[in-house]
């Protein structure tokens, strides 16, 4: 019989699943707070995978992704252990905020400490009880408030094990992203844990395409790790993913009202017009011009912009951007029109 999986004060035996509440610092009102962790401990040996969402409290797509994954019937045949945390930053979610009550960014506070700030204590709790007990990881994110991201994986593609999982996820764009000090990815790397970061959609909104792609991606990675039975081979709607080795934001040249003319996933050329910023008082307008050739992987979604504000996120590829844009369109069409990975009704 496989050994049990211990987390907090709970022992989860092989073949069982459990919901564990890890105590967190109380609110000022003395209201108890906890981090809810779902553990599915398979009967057979295998990797121990953590999946986290809402490290930024206003990034909600990942919460729904985890809910759907946990309802997947194939988990009854799980090899290894799935440890899922739908909401890491409960404090931020309560206030519809990216940040913690002390305005710290939790994803710049890892690995944390037991006696540090609120952010440090929360980061330490996640590291000690979840990350440190696992062999692989995935963290689910969205764009910031009023910004939307094309479904993409950010990871250390230079690491062969991580690159294999990134390609298995099944999105058209992989961003070879450097590790940031204080991030969960950095802390996981320091523990020798291959980890993916999934970015898709916008803060405070559900996006069905991003959610479907996220559910399918998590399950694809679990199959690649041997945690779930492999399905019959079928065409990957993302095709072979393209790796972007750099990206940067094009910024608003003036303050005013934004009119966008380039869509998320569009191929753009250097010097191409991406949109216009209009002065609502005088009617004068300025073009927003692409500073580089590439594909749009992120975009602001609010018409009001200030001078210098990030508007278009452009990824640059060694391969032909036209092929990337075509695969992005095929990927979006597939996840919009086809049946979802699970039997959940789509959000409309």
């Amino acid at each position: 019989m496989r050994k049990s999986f211990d987390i907090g004060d709970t022992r989860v035996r092989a073949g069982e699943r459990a919901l564990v509440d890890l105590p967190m610092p109380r609110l000022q009102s003395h209201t108890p707070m906890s981090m809810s962790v779902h553990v599915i401990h398979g009967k057979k040996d295998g990797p121990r995978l953590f999946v986290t969402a809402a490290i930024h409290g206003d990034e909600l797509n990942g919460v729904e992704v985890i809910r759907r994954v946990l309802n997947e019937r194939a988990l009854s045949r799980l090899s290894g252990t799935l440890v899922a945390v739908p909401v890491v930053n409960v404090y931020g979610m309560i206030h519809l905020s990216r940040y913690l009550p002390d305005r710290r960014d939790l994803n710049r506070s890892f690995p944390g400490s037991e006696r540090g700030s609120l952010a440090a204590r929360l980061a330490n709790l996640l590291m000690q009880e979840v990350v440190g007990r696992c062999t692989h990881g995935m963290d689910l994110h969205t764009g910031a408030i009023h910004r939307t991201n094309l479904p993409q994986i950010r990871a250390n593609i230079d690491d062969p094990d991580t690159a294999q999982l990134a390609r298995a996820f099944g999105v058209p764009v992989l961003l070879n992203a450097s590790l940031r000090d204080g991030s969960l990815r950095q802390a996981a790397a320091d523990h020798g844990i291959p980890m993916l970061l999934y970015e898709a959609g916008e803060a405070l909104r559900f996006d069905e395409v991003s959610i479907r792609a996220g559910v399918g991606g998590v399950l694809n990675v679990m199959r690649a790790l041997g945690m779930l039975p492999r399905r019959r081979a079928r065409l990957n709607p993302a095709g072979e993913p393209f790796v972007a080795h750099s990206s940067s934001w094009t910024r608003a040249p003036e303050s005013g009202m934004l009119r966008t003319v380039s869509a998320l996933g569009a191929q753009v050329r250097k010097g191409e017009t991406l949109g216009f910023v209009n002065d609502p008082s005088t009617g004068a307008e300025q073009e927003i011009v692409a500073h580089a050739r590439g594909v749009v992987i992120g975009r602001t979604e609010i018409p009001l912009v200030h001078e210098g504000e990030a508007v278009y996120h452009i990824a640059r590829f060694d391969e032909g951007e036209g092929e990337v844009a075509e695969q992005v369109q095929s990927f979006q069409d597939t996840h919009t029109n086809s049946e979802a990975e699970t039997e959940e009704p789509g959000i409309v």
Side-chain angles (χ1 to χ4, degrees):
M1 178 65 72
R2 189 182 180 208
K3 289 184 178 180
S4 62
F5 184 89
D6 297 336
I7 178 171
D9 296 329
T10 302
R11 173 161 292 178
V12 187
R13 293 181 173 82
E16 294 182 349
R17 60 191 298 167
L19 175 59
V20 181
D21 286 325
L22 302 176
M24 298 191 304
R26 294 170 179 256
L27 297 180
Q28 303 99 318
S29 62
H30 213 60
T31 303
M33 299 287 287
S34 64
M35 182 188 298
S36 296
V37 182
H38 296 259
V39 179
I40 304 178
H41 193 45
K43 293 180 180 180
K44 299 179 181 179
D45 286 331
R48 300 182 301 277
L49 172 71
F50 74 81
V51 184
T52 52
I55 277 184
H56 295 134
D58 59 357
E59 298 183 2
L60 306 180
N61 276 336
V63 182
E64 175 66 6
V65 168
I66 289 178
R67 187 190 72 81
R68 295 189 190 186
V69 168
L70 290 172
N71 286 336
E72 174 64 31
R73 287 179 293 182
L75 294 180
S76 62
R77 295 175 286 169
L78 178 71
S79 296
T81 305
L82 174 63
V83 184
V85 188
V87 184
V88 176
N89 184 1
V90 184
Y91 305 95
M93 177 177 279
I94 291 173
H95 297 288
L96 307 182
S97 172
R98 175 184 182 89
Y99 303 106
L100 288 157
D102 59 3
R103 298 299 297 168
R104 283 185 169 87
D105 185 335
L106 180 57
N107 208 29
R108 298 294 178 268
S109 303
F110 288 92
S113 65
E114 191 175 358
R115 297 187 177 182
S117 66
L118 174 61
R121 295 178 188 218
L122 190 55
N124 178 71
L125 176 66
L126 187 69
M127 289 298 300
Q128 296 299 319
E129 295 290 351
V130 176
V131 178
R133 301 179 190 274
C134 293
T135 59
H136 299 77
M138 278 187 279
D139 191 24
L140 311 179
H141 285 257
T142 76
I145 191 167
H146 303 315
R147 288 183 187 169
T148 187
N149 281 333
L150 185 78
Q152 61 195 258
I153 286 292
R154 300 182 183 182
N156 177 18
I157 306 300
D158 295 328
D159 174 64
D161 292 337
T162 305
Q164 181 181 7
L165 298 181
R167 294 180 182 280
F169 193 95
V171 291
V173 172
L174 311 181
L175 188 58
N176 194 9
S178 58
L179 297 172
R180 292 193 176 187
D181 290 342
S183 68
L184 177 57
R185 276 209 305 134
Q186 173 73 70
D190 290 343
H191 280 68
I193 299 172
M195 181 180 156
L196 307 180
L197 189 150
Y198 175 59
E199 283 273 3
E202 180 184 356
L204 294 177
R205 298 182 188 275
F206 275 163
D207 175 72
E208 182 64 21
V209 169
S210 298
I211 291 167
R212 287 187 179 190
V215 173
V218 172
L219 297 176
N220 285 342
V221 169
M222 294 178 73
R223 293 184 186 106
L225 288 170
M227 299 177 69
L228 294 177
R230 289 187 178 273
R231 297 182 305 177
R232 293 180 180 175
R234 70 176 187 178
L235 183 65
N236 183 350
E240 181 64 21
F242 291 85
V243 178
H245 293 280
S246 63
S247 68
S248 57
W249 283 89
T250 297
R251 299 182 178 275
E254 288 287 348
S255 301
M257 304 287 289
L258 170 68
R259 304 196 328 271
T260 57
V261 296
S262 291
L264 203 64
Q267 175 192 5
V268 296
R269 298 182 301 275
K270 185 176 181 179
E272 181 178 338
T273 299
L274 303 175
F276 301 89
V277 177
N278 172 265
D279 183 331
S281 300
T282 66
E285 68 179 19
Q286 284 201 29
E287 287 182 295
I288 300 175
V289 177
H291 62 280
R293 191 179 75 174
V295 172
V296 177
I297 63 170
R299 194 183 78 168
T300 188
E301 293 295 336
I302 190 170
L304 302 172
V305 296
H306 289 98
E307 181 180 339
E309 189 170 334
V311 179
Y312 279 94
H313 193 190
I314 298 176
R316 294 183 285 275
F317 299 84
D318 295 334
E319 304 93 341
E321 287 85 0
E323 295 179 35
V324 182
E326 289 176 9
Q327 287 204 16
V328 167
Q329 185 61 56
S330 175
F331 170 85
Q332 292 176 325
D333 290 345
T334 298
H335 284 87
T336 300
N337 301 320
S338 67
E339 293 183 1
E341 177 80 15
T342 64
E343 297 178 354
E344 296 281 349
I347 298 171
V348 296

